[in-house]
Amino acid sequence: MKSIFSLYKLKMMIVIKSAVLVIPTVAVVAFLGTMYSILPQQISSSFLMSGFLLFVIGVYTSMSIQMREQDVHEGLFLIHSDPGAGYWLVRETVIYSIMLFYGLILVLYPVIRCSINPSWFTRPLESDDILYGSILVLGNGICGVSLGDVFHRRLIPRRRNAIICVVLVALLAICKVAIIEKLPFLKILNILLPPVMDGFDMVGNGDFFDPKGTLLILLHTVLYAVVITVIKIWLLRRRKFS
């Protein structure tokens, strides 16, 4: 039986060689170059826009990876996992570590540049800004990864249908705040959809993060990701490899 670390390295190498990460990498570079082409920037908008991009990257990356999975390879990973739960641990760790890599770039880039150029933002960058801003950025990444991976090809065999489902749920999540404002009886969407835009709603026209509001968004994010991941794994365990 191979160790979890060996399986992780092997699966990560498969992902890297598949060129899945080319588009996310280009997107991050283009975003950073465009976003900070005009200075100074608001601190809150910087982190919130970075979080939105990480959500999109998370959806794209996790969906691209699961659509390229081959039943033979995944079956071998499962066989070599001891215990079988190690397979799921490796699988989830790979997609979340990729999200974390891009998330750290999106968070650290403005922080480092601000330390070099104090006028990078409209006001001094404080430690609380970095903490709560990072929570929102990485939280959006978690939402994106969990959403993109739940519409797995073994659960929805037709690629077109899976993409339609992901796009529909993502659009609803993005428009959730506006929908609920117009149709208050749809508040159930706050539970069914990931809190992608909740940070924008919390900050409003200001430039400060609310600590309590940020932690509530984090709690919502973690609960959403855990529930949707457990459901996904349960369904995939029942849906055998073809």
Side-chain angles (χ1 to χ4, degrees), residues 8-223:
Y8 172 85
K9 290 196 300 181
L10 181 57
K11 191 166 181 65
M12 182 62 77
M13 286 302 300
I14 293 175
V15 172
I16 294 174
K17 289 182 179 180
S18 69
V20 168
L21 305 183
V22 172
I23 291 180
T25 302
V26 172
V28 168
V29 173
F31 171 82
L32 293 176
T34 305
M35 177 73 179
Y36 299 107
S37 60
I38 300 177
L39 298 176
Q41 288 280 333
Q42 279 193 329
I43 293 175
S44 61
S45 62
S46 170
F47 282 102
L48 291 173
M49 289 302 296
S50 296
F52 180 79
L53 174 66
L54 192 61
F55 169 74
V56 175
I57 289 176
V59 171
Y60 171 83
T61 304
S62 59
M63 195 166 197
S64 297
I65 291 174
Q66 57 97 344
M67 283 186 171
R68 286 173 167 80
E69 288 179 346
Q70 298 182 20
D71 286 354
V72 174
H73 291 166
E74 297 306 304
L76 289 174
F77 276 118
L78 187 59
I79 291 173
H80 287 287
S81 299
D82 185 24
Y87 164 76
W88 301 104
L89 177 61
V90 168
R91 189 179 182 281
E92 298 299 314
T93 303
V94 167
I95 55 179
Y96 278 101
S97 60
I98 292 172
M99 178 277 297
L100 180 61
F101 170 74
Y102 289 113
L104 289 177
I105 293 177
L106 291 171
V107 169
L108 292 178
Y109 179 80
V111 172
I112 294 174
R113 293 301 299 270
C114 183
S115 64
I116 299 174
N117 178 12
S119 61
W120 189 263
F121 292 115
T122 55
R123 63 177 178 83
L125 181 66
E126 301 177 356
S127 57
D128 284 353
D129 297 319
I130 301 174
L131 173 62
Y132 297 122
S134 299
I135 288 175
L136 293 174
V137 172
L138 298 179
N140 273 12
I142 292 173
C143 290
V145 168
S146 59
L147 179 60
D149 197 42
V150 75
F151 296 101
H152 197 277
R153 64 180 186 82
R154 297 213 321 265
L155 304 178
I156 306 179
R158 297 192 65 178
R159 179 188 180 95
R160 181 187 64 183
N161 293 341
I163 293 176
I164 290 175
C165 289
V166 169
V167 171
L168 178 60
V169 175
L171 289 177
L172 286 174
I174 293 170
C175 302
K176 177 183 68 175
V177 175
I179 292 174
I180 294 175
E181 286 181 357
K182 295 292 183 181
L183 305 171
F185 65 89
L186 291 178
K187 287 184 178 180
I188 188 65
L189 293 178
N190 275 324
I191 299 176
L192 299 178
L193 298 174
V196 179
M197 304 301 290
D198 289 26
F200 289 89
D201 186 48
M202 175 188 67
V203 172
N205 295 323
D207 191 25
F208 291 91
F209 299 112
D210 175 42
K212 181 179 178 181
T214 303
L215 293 178
L216 287 175
I217 292 174
L218 174 62
L219 177 61
H220 185 182
T221 299
V222 172
L223 289 176

